Amino acid sequence: MNRQSIFFTIVVSFIISILLVVISFIVLLTNNYQEHEKQIFDKYFSVSRMINRAEFNFNDKFVKNLEEMNYKVYTKRDDIKIFENNIKAIVFYERIHPKHGDIFRILKEDETFYIYSKVKDSEVLIKDENSPNNNAQIYIILVFSILLITIVLLYLMTLKKLIPLKILQDKVKNLGDENFDFEFNQTSSKDEVSQLSMEFKKSALKLKNLKEARNVFIRNIMHELKTPITKGKFLTQLEQNEQNNEKLKSVFDRLESLINEFATIEELISSTNNIEKKNYFLDDIIDNAKDILMLEDDSVVCEYDNRKLNVNFKLFSIALKNLIDNGIKYSNDRKVIVKNEDENIIVENYGEELKEPFSQYLEPFYANQGRKDSFGLGLYIVNNILKANGYILKYEYKNGLNKFICAKG
């Protein structure tokens, strides 16, 4: 693992934190055990001194005093022997006089403590009915467990939060290869890493749109410039007179208009800014679309009510221009019909039905089978322009009639 990595730093920090917690736990537990042991010694040594002062003369008064202190006295050998044979009893502390052989023991059975004392031939076993419990040890273990679980959970949560950062790192490496298709799970998280990932995804999408806009611009300009260039070539071969010069001038005006149109299309596809919309008469928009195409009036049959539409005049004209151009190109009679139903605009032509699902024709550069210069770019541009103007492009086919509907969204 890279030592400069954030993940490496987090892992090292986690390990250090666990070690510190474990060391603290051991120190606290050791100190608690020693303190508990000291309390037991102090308590039972005082009882031992009482026994020694009484010189093992356990009269009723002495026994009663011990019972009041919650001690039970065993002086009979049989009772003491039964306890000595108890395998559960462990020696908590033991002291044997090196010369006289006197014995003092603190014994423990489960959670109960006993005092065994033997001096010469006298012996006694005292049971503590109120044996001290080490509750502090339980609390220390409980706190340690909670702290350890909390650290582990925080570690896992931190790693989970940083996973998008690792994915982002891998995706950035592919950015130079123009691979803009990034998949990030949509999240409502507001942390900086998740927000950075989502912003990067948006930036990648913008770059993808810019790339598509560039490709659309190049391919579309090659296609659209053919008509005025062909007409211009034809006019240069004719006799130079005022009428032909005017026609040649109109060709150059058309070329200039096309260049401006392509720049507008590229800006539309590559930008997320809202376009400016105003109210325009449908008749003016259709006339502008026909002027761009340099069409004769009889190519477009107008059956619409001249009502106002709230749209961007230049862009909406380009959209209808593309629909009219495609309609004429693929119609049986080289004509299109333009209608309207309220704010919905319909461009119709008599011709063959589209062979593929309509959604495929809305993809950039989709080529209609068996046809050159198909709907691919045209409908892709139309669809984007209509979306920006609050419209939806739909398609219907009935009784030999293709209907391209610009439906108000």
Side-chain angles (χ1 to χ4, degrees):
M1 183 181 293
N2 182 11
R3 293 189 177 183
Q4 305 299 322
S5 169
I6 295 177
F7 289 92
F8 178 80
T9 304
I10 292 174
V11 171
V12 171
S13 301
F14 170 72
I15 294 173
I16 293 174
S17 301
I18 292 295
L19 289 175
L20 290 175
V21 170
V22 171
I23 292 171
S24 301
F25 169 72
I26 293 172
V27 171
L28 286 174
L29 211 57
T30 302
N31 289 339
N32 174 259
Y33 180 80
Q34 291 174 350
E35 183 66 26
H36 180 63
E37 191 177 54
K38 183 177 180 300
Q39 291 175 359
I40 292 173
F41 289 161
D42 293 342
K43 180 178 182 180
Y44 296 142
F45 280 162
S46 61
V47 177
S48 175
R49 285 195 292 269
M50 289 175 59
I51 296 172
N52 292 333
R53 282 197 299 268
E55 296 181 350
F56 289 80
N57 183 19
F58 301 113
N59 53 36
D60 293 340
K61 184 179 179 181
F62 183 81
V63 172
K64 185 177 180 181
N65 288 336
L66 287 176
E67 287 177 350
E68 289 177 354
M69 296 171 63
N70 292 318
Y71 290 105
K72 186 174 181 180
V73 181
Y74 299 93
T75 57
K76 295 181 179 180
R77 179 58 193 166
D78 292 339
D79 294 335
I80 296 174
K81 189 175 182 180
I82 291 174
F83 181 78
E84 288 178 345
N85 295 329
N86 187 354
I87 59 175
K88 292 183 179 180
I90 60 173
V91 178
F92 187 80
Y93 176 79
E94 181 180 67
R95 185 176 64 185
I96 302 175
H97 196 282
K99 292 183 178 180
H100 306 116
D102 298 341
I103 300 173
F104 172 76
R105 290 195 186 107
I106 299 175
L107 305 168
K108 184 179 181 182
E109 179 187 13
D110 297 330
E111 296 301 322
T112 304
F113 284 92
Y114 296 82
I115 303 171
Y116 175 79
S117 182
K118 181 180 180 182
V119 177
K120 297 181 180 180
D121 294 331
S122 301
E123 60 181 346
V124 65
L125 179 69
I126 299 175
K127 178 181 179 182
D128 187 357
E129 300 283 2
N130 189 23
S131 298
N133 294 320
N134 192 5
N135 293 326
Q137 182 178 350
I138 298 175
Y139 295 140
I140 292 173
I141 295 174
L142 181 61
V143 171
F144 167 76
S145 301
I146 294 173
L147 187 60
L148 187 63
I149 292 172
T150 302
I151 292 176
V152 172
L153 289 177
L154 288 175
Y155 171 72
L156 295 176
M157 289 173 60
T158 304
L159 287 183
K160 184 179 179 181
K161 292 288 186 182
L162 290 176
I163 286 177
L165 189 62
K166 183 66 176 176
I167 298 174
L168 186 61
Q169 180 186 11
D170 297 335
K171 298 299 182 182
V172 170
K173 293 178 181 178
N174 298 325
L175 196 61
D177 299 328
E178 296 189 350
N179 181 10
F180 304 119
D181 294 324
F182 298 115
E183 290 298 330
F184 288 111
N185 294 328
Q186 191 70 27
T187 178
S188 58
S189 179
K190 300 298 181 181
D191 64 274
E192 291 80 1
V193 176
S194 298
Q195 293 301 309
L196 175 63
S197 299
M198 296 311 299
E199 288 301 322
F200 186 82
K201 180 180 179 180
K202 292 178 183 178
S203 299
L205 183 60
K206 290 179 183 178
L207 290 174
K208 182 179 180 181
N209 290 336
L210 286 172
K211 180 184 177 182
E212 290 183 357
R214 179 192 65 190
N215 293 337
V216 169
F217 180 81
I218 293 174
R219 296 196 183 194
N220 209 31
I221 197 172
M222 292 172 62
H223 168 67
E224 295 289 350
L225 289 178
K226 287 181 180 179
T227 300
I229 289 174
T230 301
K231 287 187 177 182
K233 285 182 178 180
F234 176 74
L235 289 172
T236 58
Q237 296 175 2
L238 298 178
E239 180 183 354
Q240 298 298 312
N241 54 44
E242 185 176 351
Q243 183 179 5
N244 288 338
N245 288 337
E246 285 297 323
K247 290 182 179 180
L248 188 60
K249 182 178 179 298
S250 68
V251 169
F252 286 108
D253 290 339
R254 166 63 176 150
L255 289 173
E256 182 181 8
S257 175
L258 278 174
I259 291 173
N260 293 331
E261 175 185 330
F262 296 140
T264 303
I265 292 170
E266 182 183 23
E267 180 181 358
L268 170 70
I269 297 175
S270 61
S271 175
T272 56
N273 298 327
N274 293 326
I275 62 173
E276 182 181 358
K277 294 185 288 186
K278 294 182 180 179
N279 292 322
Y280 300 97
F281 282 106
L282 177 58
D283 204 25
D284 293 334
I285 298 174
I286 298 296
D287 286 343
N288 188 53
K290 290 193 295 184
D291 290 342
I292 296 174
L293 288 171
M294 303 174 115
L295 291 175
E296 301 296 332
D297 289 338
D298 58 355
S299 298
V300 181
V301 179
C302 299
E303 298 181 1
Y304 54 80
D305 298 327
N306 189 24
R307 60 178 300 143
K308 283 188 175 182
L309 304 177
N310 184 247
V311 294
N312 181 281
F313 182 83
K314 184 190 295 185
L315 291 176
F316 211 79
S317 298
I318 293 172
L320 292 181
K321 182 269 297 183
N322 283 338
L323 289 178
I324 291 171
D325 186 30
N326 280 330
I328 293 173
K329 189 181 300 180
Y330 299 112
S331 67
N332 296 333
D333 54 4
R334 307 293 295 176
K335 291 183 180 181
V336 295
I337 305 168
V338 181
K339 299 180 179 180
N340 77 305
E341 295 176 357
D342 295 327
E343 292 189 72
N344 295 345
I345 314 301
I346 305 170
V347 179
E348 302 178 343
N349 74 311
Y350 287 96
E352 296 180 9
E353 182 181 6
L354 298 181
K355 303 299 182 184
E356 306 295 336
F358 182 61
S359 59
Q360 293 189 18
Y361 295 91
L362 302 181
E363 297 295 327
F365 318 132
Y366 178 79
N368 194 11
Q369 294 181 357
R371 291 177 172 174
K372 297 180 179 179
D373 302 328
S374 67
F375 293 102
L377 285 172
L379 291 185
Y380 173 69
I381 293 171
V382 170
N383 188 43
N384 280 277
I385 291 176
L386 292 182
K387 284 181 180 179
N389 282 274
Y391 282 76
I392 301 172
L393 183 60
K394 299 180 180 179
Y395 171 75
E396 294 179 2
Y397 184 81
K398 188 175 181 181
N399 299 326
L401 191 65
N402 289 288
K403 290 186 176 183
F404 292 90
I405 305 168
C406 305
K408 185 66 175 177

